[in-house]
């Protein structure tokens, strides 16, 4: 599809006998925010992780900005570096300072000078509101601050798209909004985003499109208003009523 930054065609994935992704077709256009929701075990995170080959696929094709994602090797590393990823766990290097965490990949992969990398890193840390923490190590920061550092670190590679896999699920309730706010700001700046989340208010407010998954399949795809107000399938209706009663 034209202008698609992320495109999956007939993607299948098994874990042993379990068919976790069944003929997935999905495209995310430039500047679009697509949010994937669904019950636990529906394949959401697996789908997110296949986009940059953190999970291998059994069949199908994945394209990043029109380029077929290779299975392995240097080419994979190059294409993968164009997609930023933020996980449930922050995956920061515990013994390195915040500024070192953010500058490491640009210096190692893109060979940017230390001075330039640090200048950009400070701008990014400021953007997500943690520039005052730059010289600390991750353990000295709250979970919400660490996750915002993880966002800054992903942005430091100037990605064409960002993947978020349940970025707030490991956080205390009061820290969730600070991370969602940073993501909302990114969306407002036109970043292409694929987001797996349980945060329905965020999905409703920020998504251009909602993808509803169950048992490894995409069952519905619609605008937030249409999906939340007029779900088409019984599975989606059941899912929405279960989260409303929680």
């Amino acid at each position: 599809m034209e202008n698609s930054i992320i495109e999956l065609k007939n993607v299948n994935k098994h874990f042993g006998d379990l068919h976790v992704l069944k003929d997935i077709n999905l495209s995310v256009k430039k500047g679009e925010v697509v949010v994937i929701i669904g019950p636990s075990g529906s394949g959401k995170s697996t789908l997110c992780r296949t986009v940059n080959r953190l999970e291998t696929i059994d069949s199908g094709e994945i394209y990043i900005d029109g380029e077929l994602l290779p299975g392995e090797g240097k080419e994979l590393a190059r294409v993968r570096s164009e997609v930023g990823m933020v996980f449930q766990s922050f995956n920061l290097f515990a013994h390195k300072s915040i500024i070192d965490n953010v500058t490491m990949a640009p210096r190692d992969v893109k060979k940017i000078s230390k001075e330039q990398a640090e200048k950009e890193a400070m701008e990014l840390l400021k953007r997500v509101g943690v520039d005052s923490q730059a010289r600390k190590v991750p353990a000295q920061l709250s979970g919400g601050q660490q996750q915002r550092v993880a966002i800054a670190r992903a942005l430091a590679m100037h990605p064409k798209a960002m993947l978020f896999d349940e970025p707030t699920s490991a956080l205390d309730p009061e820290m969730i909004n600070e991370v969602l706010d940073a993501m909302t700001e990114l969306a407002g700046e036109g970043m292409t985003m694929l987001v797996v989340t349980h945060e329905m208010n965020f999905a409703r407010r920020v998504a251009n499109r909602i993808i509803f998954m169950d048992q490894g399949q995409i069952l519905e795809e619609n605008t937030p208003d249409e999906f939340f107000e007029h779900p088409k399938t019984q599975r989606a209706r059941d899912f929405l009523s279960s989260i409303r009663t929680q």
Side-chain angles (χ1 to χ4, degrees):
M1 188 185 274
E2 240 176 287
N3 293 339
S4 285
I5 298 292
I6 297 168
E7 187 163 13
L8 287 79
K9 290 183 176 176
N10 303 318
V11 168
N12 283 275
K13 165 81 180 168
H14 294 78
F15 288 126
D17 294 337
L18 203 60
H19 196 172
V20 285
L21 295 177
K22 301 172 183 170
D23 283 322
I24 297 292
N25 289 286
L26 172 67
S27 80
V28 183
K29 292 193 198 67
K30 189 172 170 57
E32 194 176 25
V33 178
V34 173
V35 173
I36 305 176
I37 62 176
S40 293
S42 57
K44 309 182 298 289
S45 287
T46 304
L47 170 58
C48 191
R49 292 167 69 87
T50 61
V51 172
N52 61 359
R53 282 271 200 270
L54 285 175
E55 293 285 1
T56 55
I57 59 175
D58 299 327
S59 62
E61 295 170 335
I62 298 171
Y63 295 86
I64 303 295
D65 201 11
E67 194 175 351
L68 183 64
L69 189 63
E72 56 191 359
K74 272 190 174 164
E75 280 303 287
L76 172 62
R78 182 182 61 75
V79 179
R80 188 187 265 171
S81 73
E82 298 182 339
V83 181
M85 180 136 195
V86 179
F87 303 88
Q88 258 175 359
S89 51
F90 321 122
N91 290 5
L92 299 174
F93 293 101
H95 304 299
K96 291 189 176 294
S97 68
I98 295 308
I99 190 100
D100 286 347
N101 265 282
V102 178
T103 56
M104 214 161 107
R107 290 181 64 194
D108 290 355
V109 180
K110 297 207 163 181
K111 307 300 180 201
I112 293 170
S113 72
K114 183 179 184 198
E115 195 180 52
Q116 178 65 22
E118 291 201 350
K119 182 172 174 281
E120 283 192 21
M122 286 307 294
E123 285 166 9
L124 289 169
L125 290 169
K126 189 171 184 182
R127 220 166 118 184
V128 296
V130 286
D131 49 320
S132 61
Q133 314 293 327
R135 301 294 162 192
K136 294 181 179 174
V137 293
Q140 294 173 287
L141 274 61
S142 72
Q145 289 172 323
Q146 289 188 57
Q147 194 60 297
R148 285 183 283 155
V149 171
I151 293 172
R153 179 181 58 180
L155 290 172
M157 291 296 283
H158 301 285
K160 291 177 176 174
M162 291 277 283
L163 308 173
F164 293 88
D165 182 17
E166 299 276 16
T168 58
S169 65
L171 299 177
D172 293 333
E174 68 272 16
M175 293 172 192
I176 289 173
N177 283 337
E178 59 190 61
V179 173
L180 293 178
D181 287 348
M183 291 168 65
T184 303
E185 211 161 285
L186 261 189
E189 290 163 8
M191 175 57 77
T192 307
M193 292 162 62
L194 183 63
V195 183
V196 174
T197 186
H198 283 105
E199 298 297 328
M200 295 302 143
N201 289 337
F202 171 83
R204 193 163 196 159
R205 205 175 69 238
V206 181
N208 299 104
R209 251 188 314 146
I210 301 281
I211 303 287
F212 175 71
M213 284 186 75
D214 189 39
Q215 296 183 339
Q217 291 174 299
I218 293 177
L219 293 192
E220 294 197 31
E221 194 172 331
N222 220 327
T223 62
D225 283 354
E226 276 300 306
F227 176 76
F228 285 108
E229 296 304 325
H230 310 289
K232 294 200 211 57
T233 60
Q234 191 57 47
R235 281 301 295 125
R237 286 193 284 275
D238 292 346
F239 174 74
L240 289 171
S241 66
S242 77
I243 52 178
R244 282 181 189 131
T245 54
Q246 276 172 14

